Amino acid sequence: MKNYVLVTGGAGYIGSHTCVALAAAGYTPLILDNLCNSSAKVLDRLATISGAAPRLIEGDVRDRALLDRVFAQEPVQAVIHFAGLKAVGDSVVDPLLYYDNNVNGSLVLAAAMRAAGVRTLIFSSSATVYGEPDESPIPESAPTRPANPYGRSKLMVEECLGDLYRSEPGWRIALLRYFNPVGAHESGLIGEHPQGKPNNLMPFVSQVAVGTRPELVVHGGDYPTPDGTGVRDYVHVMDLAEGHVAALRHALAQPQALLTVNLGTGRGCSVLEVVQAFERASGRPVPRTIGPRRPGDVPAYWGDPAAAAEVLGWQARRTLDQMCADSWRWQSGNPEGY
Ligand code: NAD
Ligand code: UD1
């Protein structure tokens, strides 16, 4: 009986929440992670939430010999591949590091899967593959034109996996394009723990609310949006986690499949809406100033979630207020992270 779901990068932000959703759906996650951007302490928290900690294999997804051993020794029915690097700015500074980790890592993993006869793969892609879209909501058929090495690494992997699917029968591959994942598990025991100064809005706002940082700089107040600030499709990380379970269940039920699916809410929220919701959720003020636009930022975009609903039977359920309340529970209970 093949019973593990191998979760690469499963100690990280989205991976750890997906382990919770997998366990709740009756799957057994097995984590492979080199802990370059996460902590093994997450395992105790997962044990508290799910009743048992997933096993962790500490290692690198680019290590073919390790992957061959894992597939030879463990009964793995499918892989969810989160392991990768995700800082856009770093990818511009060191593109080779990003292509090695994200593209090469995915190719080594896919080759090991092929050799082992494991052909079900759920891949973490990103809405960043759309670049600056012509229109919102963005359907999966929109043109792809990523604007930085990180985004290109995601698109390259999508293309490689599409070619692999077409090269031989039996592959079940889901390419999941996430919009902006935020929030934390409702328990407040696991959440996002960025190293150093956060680049993304929600962790920055929560650090301002908890008092670690003095104020938020809003990157631009003169965009052509209702309140002049940037608009994004924020999706609760537990909704996203459940989207992976839906994709896995769907893939496992097909003889073969190649799916490209947006995971978002279909609704755009502005920076100021997020800040105000966070103030309501935390009961704390979030001091802010309006600064210049951040280079490379798109004014507004949000996803079309129709395909996810139709094909996977999944839709995001949690509101912006829940995203902020859960982020706050995690941040205020764990001001130093894990
Ligand atoms: P994260 O950094 O919290 O998790 C990634 C995990 O992968 C970490 O635990 C890290 O230690 C591990 N890892 C990295 N390189 C590895 C390697 N070579 N071998 C083994 N483990 C490795 O990031 P996250 O936010 O959970 O993102 C997960 C995935 O989703 C990434 O592929 C990311 O690009 C993608 N994604 C994230 C977002 C987002 O906003 N968080 C948006 C779209 C897509
Ligand atoms: C960024 C990445 C994208 C990645 C996504 C993950 C860039 C250019 N894009 O997208 O590739 O997939 O994160 O969620 O980095 N903002 C502020 N002040 C801050 C931080 C952010 O005003 O201190 C604003 C931004 O200008 C933007 C919004 O908040 O309008 C969201 O920003 P962020 O969380 O960084 O996400 P994205 O820019 O959408």
Side-chain angles (χ1 to χ4, degrees):
M1 166 70 181
K2 295 207 160 199
N3 58 9
Y4 280 125
V5 176
L6 183 67
V7 185
T8 76
Y13 173 47
I14 306 170
S16 58
H17 289 80
T18 300
C19 286
V20 172
L22 285 168
Y27 295 100
T28 308
L30 171 63
I31 297 175
L32 174 78
D33 200 303
N34 66 4
L35 304 180
C36 70
N37 196 37
S38 53
S39 163
K41 290 184 190 155
V42 73
L43 296 175
D44 291 340
R45 308 291 182 92
L46 291 176
T48 306
I49 297 169
S50 300
R55 272 180 57 205
L56 166 68
I57 297 168
E58 195 175 333
D60 199 295
V61 80
R62 292 164 292 182
D63 182 345
R64 175 67 192 266
L66 171 68
L67 291 178
D68 285 345
R69 276 201 305 282
V70 171
F71 286 120
Q73 290 168 6
E74 312 293 349
V76 173
Q77 60 173 330
V79 179
I80 307 185
H81 179 38
F82 293 103
L85 302 177
K86 62 169 181 176
V88 171
D90 292 353
S91 80
V92 176
V93 173
D94 195 347
L96 295 182
L97 176 71
Y98 271 67
Y99 291 127
D100 183 39
N101 215 312
N102 293 3
V103 181
N104 184 34
S106 300
L107 298 183
V108 172
L109 173 66
M113 290 177 65
R114 183 168 184 254
V118 177
R119 288 195 172 76
T120 304
L121 175 60
I122 314 296
F123 173 64
S124 294
S125 189
S126 170
T128 202
V129 298
Y130 296 118
E132 181 153 4
D134 298 328
E135 51 167 2
S136 283
I138 310 173
E140 290 82 354
S141 57
T144 47
R145 42 189 174 223
N148 50 64
Y150 166 68
R152 279 189 281 278
S153 76
K154 291 291 173 188
L155 187 58
M156 285 178 195
V157 175
E158 285 196 4
E159 289 175 342
C160 293
L161 294 177
D163 287 339
L164 177 62
Y165 168 80
R166 286 181 286 272
S167 71
E168 60 187 21
W171 282 91
R172 301 134 156 174
I173 297 174
L175 310 172
L176 303 183
R177 292 177 173 168
Y178 315 154
F179 282 72
N180 290 52
V182 297
H185 186 259
E186 291 80 356
S187 65
L189 289 172
I190 58 173
E192 186 173 13
H193 176 42
Q195 320 271 338
K197 190 176 169 187
N199 295 314
N200 295 120
L201 179 65
M202 188 67 94
F204 204 103
V205 168
S206 48
Q207 291 190 8
V208 173
V210 86
T212 322
R213 299 192 183 272
E215 66 170 14
L216 170 76
V217 177
V218 178
H219 297 320
D222 59 351
Y223 282 116
T225 60
D227 64 19
T229 66
V231 167
R232 297 288 183 276
D233 184 344
Y234 298 96
V235 54
H236 195 296
V237 66
M238 282 309 299
D239 278 327
L240 198 63
E242 288 160 11
H244 288 74
V245 174
L248 177 66
R249 198 177 276 135
H250 175 83
L252 287 171
Q254 312 300 314
Q256 54 181 33
L258 176 67
L259 299 174
T260 305
V261 179
N262 287 338
L263 293 183
T265 64
R267 190 176 108 75
C269 294
S270 73
V271 174
L272 292 182
E273 280 180 90
V274 171
V275 170
Q276 285 154 8
F278 208 95
E279 290 183 324
R280 281 196 300 277
S282 64
R284 301 271 186 103
V286 176
R288 65 268 193 181
T289 52
I290 306 280
R293 295 180 179 191
R294 183 170 65 177
D297 264 2
V298 173
Y301 66 85
W302 57 95
D304 182 343
E310 210 169 287
V311 181
L312 305 180
W314 172 90
Q315 59 188 52
R317 298 184 287 124
R318 296 162 176 88
T319 62
L320 179 62
D321 285 333
Q322 283 170 285
M323 300 177 208
C324 293
D326 292 332
S327 284
W328 176 244
R329 197 172 299 112
W330 156 252
Q331 181 69 46
S332 55
N334 305 270
E336 310 298 328
Y338 289 106

